[in-house]
Amino acid sequence: MFKVNDNYLKLPGSYLFSTIGRKVREYKAANPEKEVISLGIGDVTQPLAPAIIEALHGAVDEMADAATFKGYAPDLGYEFLRNAIAKNDYADRGCEIAADEIFVSDGAKCDSGNIQEIFSIENKIAVCDPVYPVYVDTNAMAGRTGTYHTATGMWSDVIYMPCTAENHFTPELPKETPDIIYLCFPNNPTGATITKDQLQVWVDYANKVGAVIIYDAAYEAYISEENVPHSIYECVGARTCAIELKSFSKNAGFTGTRLGYTVVPKDLKSGDVMLHSLWARRHGTKYNGAPYIIQKAGEAVYSEAGKEQLKAQVGYYMNNAKTIKEGLQSMGYTVSGGVNAPYIWLKTPEKMTSWEFFDLLLEKANVVGTPGSGFGPSGEGYFRLTAFGTYENTVAALERIRNL
């Protein structure tokens, strides 16, 4: 008889956002007259920028002509997109990343879950706590995390790096030496950032102990303050210790069209083995490439018109973030984030648990957010709101919370 991968059976419950979706659907079914506002999942609401739409239409027309039709995409992605990424996201920031070190994909979520496949099952991972659930869950599916303890909400073989108000929601170097370190800045869910000097400490540490950093920079477009790095490759020595994940979802609204990329420098090695070669092998074997029309849309992100239009779109969401943060502070909530990131991290009132506050907001205010405990044990007692709603819904949600 066939057997299943019993590592899946060790996972606690369902995926966080699946649980939220189910609870919201059940509430709506029981209360069809209620209008629910979602500030929970980080999904965008503004339409694709005109420059991107124009590129999509042009690419669709190309697919209707035998002379310009495109089939399978190249393994790494089309050269026109990789060259645009290499120039705009790296060379223009003084980072040494070549076009053939960039792997185009259908989004950072997939890559952040799949990247662990190129590493031995014996590697020990270190994660920020709270953390984006995909990092931990996919390592658990692979059998790398040990046993899950329900009482603590922790895995036995994971190194947790608490990110609390006391350390400004930024991790400290772990006491136990990890093999793989997951970092996300600007952070999801807390919205915290670190300076270039602080990130350099992590790069130096990883090179010293022989660890690799998986650096999720999906929200770098929202950085507004000086000395907050947009890429880990701004740090000296990062090419020998870091893999970077980036997404078009939040900076350009591609949550529905799907596009992202992963950078694996050729200098990053385990002994004599280049991780670039391993990821290329995995990519070529398991993936057939993002669609041509989507990659052409991605190229338009880097056009002059695209840059201006997306700067305005990011500004729209960050105005929402400012509105939420200032509104909650005026109500007496303890709030962080919302400056270099589209997430607001708030302390739940009156010592409520994260899920108790979720239920209160849903049932009494008809507003959906994300319970902090879903991101890890250090998230208990906290709650995440996103700035990706419309401005009108953002203002309405705040008024409902004010009237609780």
Side-chain angles (χ1 to χ4, degrees):
M1 182 179 178
F2 68 86
K3 297 180 180 180
V4 300
N5 177 354
D6 59 9
N7 291 311
Y8 278 71
L9 306 180
K10 301 175 185 177
L11 291 166
S14 61
Y15 181 57
L16 171 62
F17 295 104
S18 299
T19 301
I20 291 172
R22 175 183 56 78
K23 289 174 76 75
V24 173
R25 286 193 300 273
E26 290 174 353
Y27 179 82
K28 286 182 175 180
N31 301 274
E33 76 285 1
K34 301 290 187 180
E35 180 186 355
V36 176
I37 297 175
S38 178
L39 299 180
I41 192 169
D43 196 3
V44 296
T45 54
Q46 297 302 294
L48 293 172
I52 295 170
I53 292 295
E54 183 179 352
L56 282 169
H57 282 298
V60 168
D61 289 340
E62 288 184 67
M63 298 296 277
D65 187 335
T68 52
F69 173 81
K70 301 291 190 300
Y72 289 126
D75 280 359
L76 272 65
Y78 284 98
E79 192 170 341
F80 61 76
L81 178 57
R82 290 186 289 109
N83 285 338
I85 292 169
K87 178 186 183 301
N88 290 274
D89 289 350
Y90 295 103
D92 288 356
R93 293 196 175 112
C95 303
E96 183 189 347
I97 295 295
D100 65 356
E101 295 175 315
I102 297 165
F103 296 79
V104 176
S105 71
D106 58 357
K109 179 178 181 179
C110 295
D111 286 354
S112 66
N114 293 330
I115 195 69
Q116 52 79 27
E117 290 186 22
I118 67 174
F119 295 100
S120 165
I121 197 71
E122 298 172 356
N123 284 303
K124 196 151 193 176
I125 69 167
V127 297
C128 295
D129 174 31
V131 68
Y132 182 45
V134 171
Y135 309 153
V136 176
D137 286 1
T138 52
N139 276 282
M141 290 171 179
R144 197 176 284 113
T145 56
T147 304
Y148 182 76
H149 299 291
T150 304
T152 62
M154 302 171 78
W155 293 88
S156 61
D157 293 345
V158 173
I159 300 170
Y160 290 88
M161 303 181 291
C163 298
T164 64
E166 288 69 31
N167 61 14
H168 306 289
F169 302 106
T170 58
E172 299 169 2
L173 296 177
K175 294 181 175 61
E176 183 181 357
T177 303
D179 301 298
I180 303 170
I181 303 166
Y182 286 84
L183 296 177
C184 174
F185 291 105
N187 185 259
N188 177 17
T190 67
T193 55
I194 56 177
T195 66
K196 182 177 178 179
D197 289 343
Q198 288 174 310
L199 185 54
Q200 185 68 58
V201 170
W202 283 96
V203 169
D204 293 342
Y205 171 78
N207 278 318
K208 178 181 177 182
V209 302
V212 62
I213 297 172
I214 310 297
Y215 194 75
D216 187 344
Y219 302 96
E220 62 83 18
Y222 292 84
I223 294 171
S224 59
E225 294 182 327
E226 296 293 329
N227 202 31
V228 176
H230 290 256
S231 166
I232 195 169
Y233 301 116
E234 294 176 36
C235 295
V236 177
R239 284 183 55 86
T240 57
C241 72
I243 293 171
E244 185 162 272
L245 314 172
K246 285 197 175 180
S247 168
F248 286 74
S249 289
K250 305 306 192 295
N251 69 322
F254 279 49
T255 54
T257 45
R258 310 303 306 150
L259 191 65
Y261 65 87
T262 291
V263 177
V264 187
K266 293 180 181 179
D267 296 346
L268 180 52
K269 299 179 181 180
S270 175
D272 294 329
V273 179
M274 290 195 309
L275 267 61
H276 182 278
S277 299
L278 299 185
W279 187 240
R281 186 66 168 89
R282 192 266 172 203
H283 211 64
T285 300
K286 291 191 173 186
Y287 187 61
N288 265 339
Y292 172 74
I293 60 174
I294 304 301
Q295 294 197 45
K296 286 299 287 185
E299 181 187 30
V301 167
Y302 299 104
S303 68
E304 289 307 311
K307 289 178 182 178
E308 286 301 312
Q309 292 162 10
L310 293 177
K311 182 179 179 181
Q313 195 167 92
V314 166
Y316 177 92
Y317 292 129
M318 288 310 294
N319 182 59
N320 285 350
K322 180 181 178 183
T323 300
I324 296 172
K325 184 171 186 176
E326 292 179 352
L328 290 173
Q329 287 174 332
S330 72
M331 300 176 210
Y333 286 90
T334 300
V335 186
S336 60
V339 176
N340 295 296
Y343 294 122
I344 290 81
W345 190 242
L346 64 119
K347 191 169 180 59
T348 57
E350 301 175 3
K351 297 184 179 179
M352 297 179 73
T353 68
S354 299
W355 279 107
E356 286 173 345
F357 190 61
F358 174 90
D359 291 336
L360 174 70
L361 283 190
L362 178 59
E363 295 169 10
K364 302 298 183 182
N366 305 145
V367 172
V368 178
T370 309
S373 59
F375 297 102
S378 290
E380 181 56 86
Y382 286 88
F383 203 77
R384 192 193 77 173
L385 294 175
T386 84
F388 289 121
T390 64
Y391 178 72
E392 293 75 17
N393 277 349
T394 298
V395 172
L398 279 173
E399 191 59 30
R400 293 181 186 184
I401 296 172
R402 190 183 301 276
N403 292 331
L404 279 174

